[in-house]
Amino acid sequence: MGDVFKALADATRRIILDELTERDGQTLFEICGRLTTRHGLNSSRQAISQHLDVLESAGLVQTRREGRYKFHHIDTAPLEPVIARWLKKPGRETPCESA
């Protein structure tokens, strides 16, 4: 779970995930273009590639190669344990309620 939190700690990586949520399956070139035009981020392709590597290591991005192109896809499965950990379940008391 630590890798997920590390990946989400950076604002640029959260914006990349937002962009992949809106339009999944983008190449590095497409992601860079959208970050520049929509968010005014002028990071180098190498910097964005490093952000994508962190997201991929955390399992939040999956990649697929087609010829010389690499497509990036969001994967929200690693977020499920994070959400479940703090999501209040029916019938479960919180410490404040039992006092």
Side-chain angles (χ1 to χ4, degrees):
M1 218 183 308
D3 287 348
V4 172
F5 286 115
K6 178 184 171 189
L8 295 174
D10 185 88
T12 300
R13 290 193 283 267
R14 290 191 305 270
I15 292 170
I16 291 169
L17 291 175
D18 289 342
E19 287 300 323
L20 289 174
T21 298
E22 188 172 312
R23 186 168 168 266
D24 204 19
Q26 295 182 62
T27 64
L28 174 61
F29 180 77
E30 291 170 314
I31 293 168
C32 290
R34 289 173 70 96
L35 293 178
T36 300
T37 58
R38 298 180 63 159
H39 303 281
L41 295 175
N42 291 318
S43 298
S44 68
R45 285 197 304 174
Q46 182 180 4
I48 299 303
S49 179
Q50 290 172 348
H51 283 302
L52 286 165
D53 288 343
V54 171
L55 291 167
E56 189 172 3
S57 293
L60 293 166
V61 168
Q62 302 295 322
T63 59
R64 167 181 58 85
R65 277 211 177 269
E66 255 183 54
R68 61 179 234 198
Y69 297 103
K70 187 175 179 183
F71 296 91
H72 301 84
H73 299 272
I74 189 167
D75 185 353
T76 58
L79 296 174
E80 292 170 8
V82 174
I83 293 167
R85 181 174 177 170
W86 289 290
L87 192 64
K88 185 176 177 184
K89 297 180 175 128
R92 186 174 130 192
E93 287 185 358
T94 62
C96 293
E97 291 173 339
S98 60

